[in-house]
Amino acid sequence: MRKQFVAGNWKMNKTVHEAYDLAIELITGLRAVRETEVALCPPFVALTAVKSAIANTMIRLGAQNMHDQDRGAFTGEISPVMLAGLADYVILGHSERRQHFGESDAFINRKVLAALRHGLRPILCIGETLEQNERGETEAVLAQQLHAALTGVAAEDATNVVIAYEPVWAIGTGRAATADDAQQRCAFVRAQLRDLFGALAEEMRIQYGGSVTPANAPEILRQPDVDGALVGGASLKADDFIAIVRAAKGNL
Ligand code: 13P
C-alpha cells in the first residue's frame, strides 16, 4: 500500500520566526498521526529553523525549488548540494515557477535528475491551465509534462519521485477540482507512470493540489488514485493543515 503523503507548500510566506512557530504548532497537532507522511516546505531561509523544530518527529522537510547545477555563478540560486542532508523533498516544476520564472520542461527535467542524484525526493508538479482544460487538452498536457520531466529517470529511482497533479486554474482560486476529476486525472497520471516504469507505478505517490481545504479534503483524499495533497494557502494555518492531514486515508 502506498503511504499517503500530505505536504504544505508555504510559498513566499512566513519569516524565519513565524515558520518556526508554525512548525511547533503543527507538531503538537500531528503527534497522533501515524498513517500519513507529512512534509513542510518553508522558504529556503527558514529550512534550518523548521528542521530544528521538527527534529525527533516523523515530519519531513521539503524545499520549494532548486537549481540543477551543483555550484557556480548562478546568483540567487540554491543547489542540490546545499539541500542534500538538509531537506528530504524538493518541489520542482511548480506552475508558479513555470509561469513567472519561465521554467522549461527541459530545465525541470535536469532538476529532477539532479535532485535524485543527491538523494533528494522530487515532488514534481504538473497541471493544465484553464485554457488548456477548456480546449480539452488536459491529458495531452499532463502526458507531455510528465514524460519530459521524467526523461532519464531510472526505474530504481521511480518510487522516490512524487507527482503532484495541480491544475493551474485551481491554485489559489478557491475552486478545487471535484473529487471525481481529481481521481480521473490522477488515474491518468498513474497510467502514464505505468508506461514509463511498469508495475512500479502502483507504488508511486500522486498528490492532488489546488485549493485543498478541510472541507473538500475528505472527499478528494478518499479517491483511490489520490495518495495525498500538496497544500498551499491552507497549510499556513495550523488548524486547517492538521485537519487536512487527518482527512487522509487511514487516519479517520
Ligand atoms: P493552494 O492550496 O493555495 O491553492 O495552492 C496549491 C499549490 O500551489 C500547492 O503547491
Side-chain angles (χ1 to χ4, degrees), residues 187-249:
F188 174 79
V189 169
R190 197 175 309 285
Q192 296 299 304
L193 294 174
R194 226 171 268 134
D195 287 348
L196 287 165
F197 302 113
L200 289 170
E202 312 310 322
E203 294 169 48
M204 296 177 71
R205 274 109 40 104
I206 304 172
Q207 298 173 317
Y208 166 80
S211 295
V212 175
T213 63
N216 61 28
E219 205 187 341
I220 292 173
L221 294 176
R222 195 184 309 135
Q223 304 305 313
D225 283 291
V226 179
D227 305 316
L230 184 55
V231 186
S235 72
L236 298 171
K237 296 183 212 118
D239 289 349
D240 285 0
F241 189 65
I242 290 163
I244 292 168
V245 172
R246 288 199 178 134
K249 290 183 200 86

Side-chain angles (χ1 to χ4, degrees), residues 75 92 104 127 174 217:
T75 301
L92 297 175
S104 67

